[in-house]
Amino acid sequence: MNWRVIRDKPSALGFLGGILSGGIAVMLAAVDHSMWLVFLVLSQIILVPTVGRAARLTHETPGGGQ
């Protein structure tokens, strides 16, 4: 990542939200609570557009290499 992505508030909040909901999913799965799957899906729903936004900000395509 570069500074442009790090300083972008929607990107930072998206990454933070995705990571937190993924962590909650792991904790819920550890205690065998059935809501872990909801948080896992929510994490993916948040992270996919956030990664796309970060790629647009850095003028790279996802999986474009280098």
Side-chain angles (χ1 to χ4, degrees):
M1 277 194 242
N2 59 19
W3 281 110
R4 189 171 183 189
V5 175
I6 293 171
R7 287 183 287 153
D8 185 48
K9 286 188 182 190
S11 294
L13 290 175
F15 283 122
L16 181 64
I19 291 169
L20 285 176
S21 62
I24 292 170
V26 169
M27 287 188 290
L28 288 174
V31 296
D32 200 27
H33 195 282
S34 62
M35 287 292 291
W36 70 271
L37 187 58
V38 172
F39 281 95
L40 186 67
V41 171
L42 178 66
S43 173
Q44 293 300 307
I45 289 172
I46 293 171
L47 283 174
V48 167
T50 303
V51 169
R53 180 179 176 85
R56 274 195 322 270
L57 287 173
T58 57
H59 302 294
E60 297 175 5
T61 58
Q66 297 189 29

